[in-house]
Amino acid sequence: MGEENPLPRRQVVLHDPRLSDPDEELVRRSHLSDAELNQVMRVLDAMRRWRETERVASEASQRYMKLGETDMRALRFLIAAQRQGVVATPSQIAAHLRVSTASTTKLLDRLAEGGHIRRMPHPIDRRSFAIEVTDETRIAARASVGRSHARRFDAIASLTAGEREAVARFFDSLIAAEDAPEGQERAAPS
């Protein structure tokens, strides 16, 4: 038998700057009270738990439909296009997915081989194809991804107008923070 570890087991915390950045080299927080800092940590923890929940749900949908993440994104785009009466083309799919036309061709070949899409002559542009999702795939996507989206919609709809506005501003702020140029310092809190 091996030696027992004399150190007690402790949970590793990944996102608490009090532990990961004690000298405030990256995360300035000395202007926050303990209560405010605890609220920030509660939001960060909720975000972490949501990302994990979303990842697990996404993986379950992918397994259910036997497809990868990019395939699922392509199908969601195609289903939305069909519902909106838009003729979807391979170039539109490539632009939506931000992948090359060669990658899109391989993706469409895979989806067609799996019975998920149909390629048809474009109704106006004879140089292109129109891509549609098969009824079977649309029904399967609705049963997995569609139901999940409906539950998220209901959760958001249950908030007050002010709460929805605060959540939207929060996400806009996160996006702006990610879009900030590398190395750009945040303005010091007032």
Side-chain angles (χ1 to χ4, degrees):
M1 297 254 180
E3 291 181 31
E4 287 190 33
N5 187 346
L7 299 175
R9 285 188 164 218
R10 290 184 10 192
Q11 181 177 357
V12 175
V13 178
L14 298 177
H15 63 277
D16 189 335
R18 295 171 290 196
L19 301 172
S20 62
D21 186 23
D23 297 325
E24 296 190 44
E25 294 173 22
L26 293 173
V27 181
R28 285 175 282 209
R29 60 188 180 281
S30 57
H31 63 286
L32 297 172
S33 70
D34 285 344
E36 290 170 321
L37 185 54
N38 287 334
Q39 284 179 319
V40 170
M41 296 312 304
R42 183 167 180 255
V43 171
L44 287 172
D45 186 57
M47 286 173 48
R48 180 193 57 75
R49 289 182 289 116
W50 164 245
R51 281 194 311 269
E52 180 61 17
T53 300
E54 187 176 42
R55 184 189 63 76
V56 168
S58 177
E59 289 173 356
S61 290
Q62 290 172 30
R63 279 192 308 276
Y64 176 74
M65 297 198 53
K66 299 179 178 120
L67 296 169
E69 181 181 348
T70 304
D71 298 342
M72 292 291 287
R73 288 179 54 221
L75 290 176
R76 283 193 296 269
F77 174 82
L78 289 167
I79 290 168
Q82 277 179 245
R83 287 218 172 259
Q84 296 167 32
V86 174
V87 177
T89 64
S91 60
Q92 289 173 316
I93 296 166
H96 173 73
L97 298 175
R98 295 184 178 131
V99 299
S100 70
T101 53
S103 293
T104 302
T105 299
K106 289 178 185 176
L107 176 137
L108 293 175
D109 288 345
R110 227 179 14 254
L111 292 175
E113 188 175 309
H116 297 290
I117 64 162
R118 290 184 291 276
R119 288 180 172 117
M120 300 166 303
H122 193 284
I124 298 169
D125 183 355
R126 291 194 289 171
R127 298 167 297 158
S128 187
F129 288 101
I131 311 296
E132 286 188 357
V133 173
T134 62
D135 290 340
E136 296 81 13
T137 294
R138 184 183 47 74
I139 291 167
R142 186 175 178 88
S144 61
V145 178
R147 287 200 194 330
S148 178
H149 180 71
R151 287 189 298 268
R152 285 191 299 267
F153 182 92
D154 289 344
I156 295 165
S158 72
L159 300 173
T160 67
E163 290 169 333
R164 286 192 295 270
E165 184 58 35
V167 170
R169 279 194 327 269
F170 166 70
F171 281 112
D172 289 343
S173 293
L174 286 181
I175 292 165
E178 288 299 317
D179 289 344
E182 190 67 31
Q184 179 177 327
E185 294 294 320
R186 294 177 309 167
S190 28

